Amino acid sequence: MPAAVASPLTTAGSRNPLPRASRDAAWVRWTLTAVALVFLAFFLALPLAAVFAEGLRRGVAAYFASFRDTDALAAIRLTLLTAAIAVPANAVFGVAAAWAIAKFPFRGKSLLITLIDLPFAVSPVIAGLVYVLIFGANGWFGSWLIDHDVRIIFAVPGIIIATTFVTFPFVARELIPLMQAQGNDEEYAAATLGASGWQTFWRVTLPNIKWGLLYGIILCNARAMGEFGAVSVVSGHIRGETDTLPLHVEILYNEYNFVGSFAVASLLTLLALVTLVLKTIVEWRHAASRSAST
Amino acid sequence: MSIEAQNIRRAFGTFAALAGVDLKVEPGKLVALLGPSGSGKTTLLRIIAGLEFADPGSGRILFDGEDVTDLPPGRRKVGFVFQHYALFRHLTVFENIAFGLRVRRRRERPPERELADRVRHLLDLVQLPGLEARYPHQLSGGQRQRVALARALAVEPRVLLLDEPFGALDAKVRRELRRWLRRFHDEINVTTLFVTHDQEEALEIADEVVIMNQGRIEQVGTPQEVYDRPATPFVHQFVGNVNILRAPAAGGGDASFGRVMRDGRIYVRPQDIEIVPHEGRDGLSAIVRHIHAAGPQARLTLEQVQSREVVEAEISRPELGALNLRVNDLVRLRLRQAHSFDDSYAI
């Protein structure tokens, strides 16, 4: 017993006043900081600035004129439409999957968790090709779809399907660890108090995950609007019809319309900046609500 | 409202959490389900609440004779207090307590004024007036526990079930709260069943103690009954402290001592061991190994000379002073009272 009491005191006494990392020589710290800053400037800040500089090279009028182009407007509309369908679909799916995984024991759970990660593991181009293989003219359902005059590949449905696939894990991956950490006790408590399953979901489960859900939705939306690879394969690049914003940027660039290309690109860049700001705010609220719950 | 569990079985794989349990709790009683972890006590409580189900084909749960086995928890009208309270973290204390009333069907839902009155009344009842607007994370452990109790009582439950109600509290708050719970129970008089692994807690506040081990009930009785007349070796070890002595070759010269020991093992509580100077002839020779005198009673660790078994004894401080004992002194032990489980009697 005396030994047990004495040991924490001796370790406390012999402990260094500062952790090791902060005792490194000043030049090490300054070099590391400088390397990080140069890297950031070169790979992040410079391209960001370049997008706006190139877009505004011919002046503000030319910049805004790029958005009045009917093809550009069509691309904006299509991108918004795609996000408007893919993001809610993945939010609903993500909540359902996370709910099932976190709150119920069942066979094949780890397989399901792995499958949810598949869109992150596979190259988006492959994802696009898979859908061409399934729904394309020579694909599995190709002839059936042609017979019934349903167009998926090289049309809007294909773009939405490919986008949904690629952005599928964001919400689920955010929610699964959160819901697992929260456990089932509050749901059980609601059940003993007479709440139905639906009431429990709306009044207990959803409020507890709202910040995590919002965080997942923001990331999901950013990717849905910015996806290039998978959408490029299934789109067919029909101007004014199946061009999303990222595809439109590429087309304008290939046509040497640099101002137009960078102007549209700046729109996507602004979206990224807004996303980052929202993400930071939500992260902050999320952390606050998490620490409050412990 | 009485609670009755009939032949409840529950297996997790090959592990039998409950191996056919029968239990009856009389109306208005405060009953403790006492047992070590893994004894099945929490599983039984959750099955009574409807949060878990007994194995298909096994027994039934009756409230006042009414079969509730197939009812979901919300329709059983039970108040359940979780070990970690499970308060709704995003709701205020007021809304936590009001939850059970708000989720009712519109016809049964009380109007807002009446609802607010009831919540305030419950807060007064658990002695937390004025805390309506707080969130759970702004409360202490003891306050959370009482909010959880108020929330459970808001739906006017027929029975109150508490899972390790004091488990997450520190020692001092625990003692205060359990006395409070006893008084509270006498005030509201709702049949209450609580799970605990702490025998002191169970013996102090329960009308009746149900001792469980390995999915079975070992004994049911008042605290005094299970302490004074333990029905099984397990109960004897679990409730209160006990020395288990194996029979040595010779009975140490004490005829009655030797007779008990023929059964194999005897169970002696530390306070039933008398320590006498070694000069006498009665009793087992033992050496004092450790004296722990910081407390109302002195606790002695002794080693029997013949069997080398270690024995714990508890004697009063004046006795200790009169004996003038030191570590490594030779003494004799006599048993005032002992149990053996083929045959139990006092010496």
Side-chain angles (χ1 to χ4, degrees), chain A residues 60-260:
Chain A
V60 179
Y63 177 81
F64 282 107
S66 312
F67 303 124
R68 279 198 294 274
D69 176 53
T70 48
D71 290 346
L73 285 173
I76 292 171
R77 267 199 302 275
L78 180 58
T79 297
L80 290 176
L81 174 72
T82 306
I85 295 172
V87 174
N90 280 332
V92 170
F93 166 80
V95 171
W99 168 282
I101 286 168
K103 312 267 173 178
F104 302 101
F106 59 89
R107 259 167 208 273
K109 184 188 276 196
S110 54
L111 184 72
L112 181 60
I113 296 175
T114 312
L115 275 178
I116 287 173
D117 278 347
L118 183 70
F120 279 175
V122 76
S123 161
V125 176
I126 310 296
L129 279 175
V130 167
Y131 285 113
V132 172
L133 202 67
I134 296 173
F135 299 117
N138 300 314
W140 296 353
F141 304 112
S143 50
W144 188 88
L145 290 171
I146 290 167
D147 291 347
H148 291 79
D149 201 25
V150 179
R151 299 191 49 186
I152 291 180
I153 299 303
F154 305 144
V156 175
I159 291 169
I160 291 169
I161 290 171
T163 304
T164 307
F165 175 85
V166 172
T167 56
F168 182 75
F170 284 98
V171 173
R173 273 179 62 114
E174 184 58 33
L175 292 183
I176 289 166
L178 179 65
M179 289 171 98
Q180 276 174 335
Q182 285 178 348
N184 293 349
D185 270 5
E186 287 184 43
E187 279 82 4
Y188 279 136
T192 64
L193 293 168
S196 66
W198 196 239
Q199 283 174 321
T200 304
F201 177 76
W202 284 107
R203 287 168 179 264
V204 178
T205 308
L206 199 60
N208 276 342
I209 61 168
K210 65 179 175 213
W211 292 111
L213 178 61
L214 198 56
Y215 184 82
I217 286 175
I218 288 168
L219 292 184
C220 182
N221 181 60
R223 182 67 189 269
M225 291 189 173
E227 176 54 28
F228 181 85
V231 171
S232 175
V233 174
V234 297
S235 133
H237 305 274
I238 306 163
R239 290 186 80 139
E241 269 184 52
T242 65
D243 256 355
T244 61
L245 277 177
L247 300 183
H248 196 60
V249 171
E250 193 206 21
I251 286 177
L252 292 174
Y253 188 82
N254 289 344
E255 290 169 349
Y256 304 105
N257 183 354
F258 295 131
V259 168

Side-chain angles (χ1 to χ4, degrees), chain A residues 182 185-195 199-200 203-204 207-208 210 289 292-294, chain B residues 46 51 73-74 78 80 82 84 86-90 99-100 102-104 137 144 151-152 155:
Chain A
Q182 285 178 348
D185 270 5
E186 287 184 43
E187 279 82 4
Y188 279 136
T192 64
L193 293 168
Q199 283 174 321
T200 304
R203 287 168 179 264
V204 178
N208 276 342
K210 65 179 175 213
S289 75
S293 67
T294 53
Chain B
R46 293 174 77 94
L51 294 174
V78 295
F80 199 99
F82 292 78
H84 301 287
L87 294 177
F88 304 124
R89 66 193 95 189
H90 65 286
F99 187 93
R102 291 218 193 274
V103 296
R104 283 187 182 173
H137 70 266
R144 285 182 208 186
R151 180 178 71 176
V155 294

Side-chain angles (χ1 to χ4, degrees), chain B residues 179-334:
Chain B
R179 278 177 205 148
W180 175 81
L181 179 69
R182 177 69 241 188
R183 289 197 305 275
F184 186 73
H185 176 265
D186 295 339
E187 212 172 297
I188 60 168
N189 208 30
V190 173
T191 310
T192 303
L193 186 59
F194 75 99
V195 157
T196 179
H197 64 273
D198 182 343
Q199 43 115 351
E200 202 188 311
E201 198 167 285
L203 298 188
E204 186 177 322
I205 65 170
D207 294 316
E208 206 164 66
V209 181
V210 178
I211 294 160
M212 293 191 67
N213 182 38
Q214 297 184 341
R216 290 174 201 283
I217 291 178
E218 297 261 342
Q219 187 175 5
V220 181
T222 64
Q224 203 188 340
E225 273 166 11
V226 297
Y227 189 83
D228 289 344
R229 292 192 296 283
T232 65
F234 174 82
V235 174
H236 210 314
Q237 288 175 65
F238 196 72
V239 179
N241 297 320
V242 73
N243 290 293
I244 305 170
L245 306 178
R246 265 168 295 135
D254 184 329
S256 57
F257 205 106
R259 193 150 52 93
V260 181
M261 284 198 207
R262 251 178 266 123
D263 299 330
R265 290 176 174 197
I266 61 162
Y267 295 74
V268 195
R269 301 223 183 264
Q271 63 272 29
D272 289 333
I273 292 178
E274 192 184 357
I275 295 177
V276 292
H278 196 253
E279 290 76 47
R281 299 205 46 184
D282 283 359
L284 281 172
S285 295
I287 301 165
V288 178
R289 287 299 184 205
H290 185 74
I291 301 172
H292 177 80
Q297 295 277 85
R299 289 212 312 271
L300 280 75
T301 308
L302 305 115
E303 187 184 320
Q304 281 186 63
V305 172
Q306 270 186 330
S307 65
R308 307 198 67 87
E309 277 179 313
V310 173
V311 181
E312 299 277 342
E314 254 179 56
I315 59 173
S316 69
R317 298 284 291 273
E319 262 182 280
L320 180 72
L323 284 163
N324 191 25
L325 287 180
R326 298 227 167 74
V327 170
N328 291 335
D329 279 358
L330 199 58
V331 295
R332 281 187 193 275
L333 309 179
R334 286 202 299 216

Side-chain angles (χ1 to χ4, degrees), chain B residues 228-230 236 260 263 337-347:
Chain B
D228 289 344
R229 292 192 296 283
H236 210 314
V260 181
D263 299 330
Q337 187 183 348
H339 285 93
S340 64
F341 284 96
D342 296 338
D343 178 24
S344 162
Y345 60 92
I347 295 167

